Amino acid sequence: MPPELYNPGTALALFDDMPKTRSLEKYRRKRKFDVTSEPRGGRRQRRKGEPIFVVQKHQASRLHYDFRLEIGGVLRSWAVPKGPSTNPKEKRLAVEVEDHPLEYAEFEGVIPADEYGAGTVQVWDRGTYRSMMKNRHGQRVPLEKAPRTDNLEFWLEGKKLRGGYALIHSKMRGRKENWLLIKLKDDAADARRNPVNTETKSVLTGRTLKQIAREESG
Ligand code: MN
């Protein structure tokens, strides 16, 4: 059973003072929007309803999966070299990268050669999530209001990924951007599934990475 929802009314009220730590400045500094078709994005957004997540398969100089969660009006982002697992025994390295605008969840296409992140991007999975974090009164709170910032737990409702996941700030090898993405033990955990290898099409357009590269470049 999915965890109970945090009260959306409460969440919206709490959202009124968005954390100042999240920013799109770095995202914009790295990109030339007259060259790349990636979205510039508007201001940090306050949205109603459940927050979103997206996993984008990104064939850059190295293939990786960008795991993004809507937090504080932006998509907080981690690059996961091996992609997410459905097996709780698999810990996947997740390297935190710059926050992306919410509009990025719609982006599928080719980033031109020589530009930052040059290569093909596919919307590998997308959906909503629910925070599993509680405050000291035992009430569910959005991730941006979680008292612990080094261990985020959330419930995904995607097309390929479902159930509880944790992002744990491991600082492995002394690097502060290093986290681990781990499937929590619940009904959606499945050691035999391997969606990264078996479910390779876009949930947005049904295309493979190769098809996107062919249709969107030039
Ligand atoms: Mn990437």
Side-chain angles (χ1 to χ4, degrees):
M1 279 293 290
E4 52 167 341
L5 277 167
Y6 61 80
N7 182 327
T10 309
L12 206 63
L14 287 168
F15 218 71
D16 278 342
D17 56 332
M18 285 192 291
K20 309 226 177 350
T21 51
R22 312 254 59 101
S23 162
L24 295 170
E25 233 175 90
K26 207 170 179 184
Y27 169 86
R28 295 197 177 114
R29 227 185 304 130
K30 285 172 181 271
R31 290 168 178 82
K32 299 189 213 88
F33 295 103
D34 51 344
V35 183
T36 183
S37 54
E38 294 164 284
R40 186 176 191 287
R43 301 172 55 152
R44 290 193 295 146
Q45 292 176 46
R46 187 186 307 146
R47 289 177 54 257
K48 289 182 187 176
E50 292 183 352
I52 60 164
F53 84 94
V54 64
V55 183
Q56 279 154 320
K57 187 175 180 179
H58 186 183
Q59 178 65 67
S61 47
R62 282 186 193 169
L63 179 71
H64 60 273
Y65 293 75
D66 289 300
F67 186 87
R68 311 187 199 279
L69 293 171
E70 179 181 358
I71 297 177
V74 300
L75 292 172
R76 198 168 164 183
S77 299
W78 290 262
V80 184
K82 291 185 179 172
S85 177
T86 52
N87 180 354
K89 288 190 177 145
E90 300 258 359
K91 298 178 174 68
R92 295 287 161 88
L93 174 67
V95 182
E96 187 165 17
V97 298
E98 76 276 16
D99 292 342
H100 281 48
L102 293 185
E103 291 90 338
Y104 208 92
E106 309 284 321
F107 178 70
E108 188 168 273
V110 174
I111 302 169
D114 300 329
E115 294 308 306
Y116 180 74
T120 311
V121 177
Q122 176 200 61
V123 178
W124 183 79
D125 198 15
R126 203 166 69 149
T128 57
Y129 79 86
R130 291 165 228 166
S131 170
M132 293 167 73
M133 305 300 285
K134 291 181 177 175
N135 64 16
R136 59 198 166 90
H137 307 294
Q139 299 160 321
R140 251 168 235 290
V141 291
L143 292 186
E144 57 266 35
K145 291 287 174 184
R148 285 192 68 178
T149 55
D150 60 344
N151 184 351
L152 304 174
E153 295 190 2
F154 43 87
W155 184 277
L156 300 180
E157 291 288 350
K159 293 212 168 82
K160 296 171 182 171
L161 301 180
R162 278 198 62 253
Y165 277 83
L167 270 166
I168 295 160
H169 199 178
S170 77
K171 301 172 197 164
M172 255 191 316
R173 294 180 216 112
R175 302 189 71 94
K176 69 169 170 49
E177 62 273 32
N178 284 357
W179 294 61
L180 292 170
L181 177 65
I182 306 169
K183 179 74 195 77
L184 297 175
K185 290 175 188 163
D186 53 39
D187 289 352
D190 188 343
R192 290 160 306 175
R193 260 187 87 204
N194 188 356
V196 159
N197 286 346
T198 61
E199 298 173 47
T200 58
K201 288 180 179 166
S202 164
V203 296
L204 201 63
T205 62
R207 297 181 294 178
T208 62
L209 211 51
K210 272 185 185 164
Q211 285 172 313
I212 297 165
R214 203 164 50 228
E215 290 169 17
E216 304 278 342
S217 47

